[in-house]
Amino acid sequence: MAAPQPRARAAAPTMSRRHAAGSASARGVLFTVLGEFVLPGDGRAWTSAFIEVLGRLGVEEKATRQALMRTAADGWLTSERIGRRTCWALTPAAERLLSDGAARIYGFTGVGSDWDGRWLLVLARAPESERPARHLLRTRLTWAGLGSPAPGVWVSTHADRIDEVEQVLGAAGVLRDAQIFVAEHRGQGRLLELVQAAWDLDEIEERYEEFIARFGGPDPEDPLLATVELVHAWRRFPWIDPELPDALLPTPWSGASAATLFARLHERHSPAAQQLWAELNEVGS
């Protein structure tokens, strides 16, 4: 299949948390398809393939085309007309974004492991007048697994993510004035109260229970549809779950069970789904 060569852009594009976390929109589903099928392939696909897959999920053709054009306008895709057809290619920025996301999504287990008791503590805030910086700080620190128990205070049990945190603070323009600590808890206050203030674990548990109820039943007949729906639903969890160690989690906690279910179903459906995706792009050529 002939296809365009991705072109680098002068400025790195940004993605909203709603799209990155897999919102129930045409563009949210599009990013799921890009990460699941286009990225591990040759980075290119035909319009007809996107229309077919999103159509199986109830997305109208017009909405799919608009999602493709908006995604290209934001710097994640390039396009090339080949005859009467259009081929879309991931940009280098999209490849980096999707690769980082895939590593986090497919490696996510719902429970942290091998915690040495150290906390990553960050004191940083952007001015009220700098709304883009505040949004970037909030969304990207959340993606890094940090929670905020108080304004300007961020905590995480993942002390090894300090480099990622520094990159976020730098992108938000607050690194120079921020304070970053790697520390142990020595106070008399209950850690579980801190955890509950930083993250809404009850809400996350409800989402896990819903995921298990939705995907724990009989297998659907369409492996392509099953894979997209599964990954699209699962990709929200690395955004909302800080992957805390067992000692800090409430009871019950369904994160590990949900992660096991996701891994089993993805392994079951993905090969057939990848084959169907390849066939759709052969038809498109």
Side-chain angles (χ1 to χ4, degrees), residues 176-199:
R176 187 178 65 177
D177 298 323
Q179 301 289 344
I180 305 175
F181 304 88
V182 175
E184 295 180 357
H185 180 259
R186 294 294 187 182
Q188 298 301 311
R190 295 179 65 237
L191 272 178
L192 293 183
E193 293 178 357
L194 172 69
V195 169
Q196 289 291 351
W199 298 282

Side-chain angles (χ1 to χ4, degrees), residues 56-179:
R56 297 187 189 187
L57 290 159
V59 179
E60 295 183 355
E61 179 177 335
K62 179 180 179 181
T64 298
R65 292 183 182 275
Q66 289 176 339
L68 285 166
M69 290 186 290
R70 290 172 182 170
T71 302
D74 284 344
W76 301 112
L77 294 172
T78 59
S79 64
E80 180 181 350
R81 292 285 296 182
I82 303 174
R84 299 181 62 182
R85 300 182 183 276
T86 300
C87 182
W88 302 87
L90 298 174
T91 64
E95 291 176 355
R96 290 191 297 270
L97 174 91
L98 294 171
S99 295
D100 290 345
R104 185 69 60 85
I105 291 168
Y106 298 115
F108 187 76
T109 62
V111 178
S113 60
D114 301 325
W115 185 46
D116 60 5
R118 296 188 303 161
W119 288 82
L120 179 59
L121 171 63
V122 180
L123 306 179
R125 61 168 54 187
E128 292 285 346
S129 58
E130 299 292 336
R131 294 187 63 185
R134 290 172 61 84
H135 175 76
L136 187 150
L137 194 66
R138 181 177 67 256
T139 57
R140 290 185 58 182
L141 286 181
T142 299
W143 170 248
L146 280 75
S148 182
V153 180
W154 295 85
V155 296
S156 172
T157 57
H158 301 280
D160 58 332
R161 294 180 184 173
I162 188 169
D163 290 342
E164 183 177 356
V165 168
E166 289 179 340
Q167 292 175 7
V168 173
L169 298 177
V174 299
L175 178 59
R176 187 178 65 177
D177 298 323
Q179 301 289 344

Side-chain angles (χ1 to χ4, degrees), residues 197-242:
W199 298 282
D200 189 347
L201 298 183
D202 292 338
E203 174 71 17
I204 298 171
E205 169 62 18
E206 289 182 13
R207 300 289 80 76
Y208 276 131
E209 292 175 1
E210 290 172 357
F211 179 87
I212 292 172
R214 177 181 176 186
F215 294 99
D219 285 347
E221 296 181 359
D222 185 344
L224 185 58
L225 177 62
T227 299
V228 175
E229 289 186 325
L230 177 72
V231 176
H232 192 68
W234 180 251
R235 58 184 273 201
R236 79 169 73 175
F237 290 107
W239 277 95
I240 64 175
D241 184 350

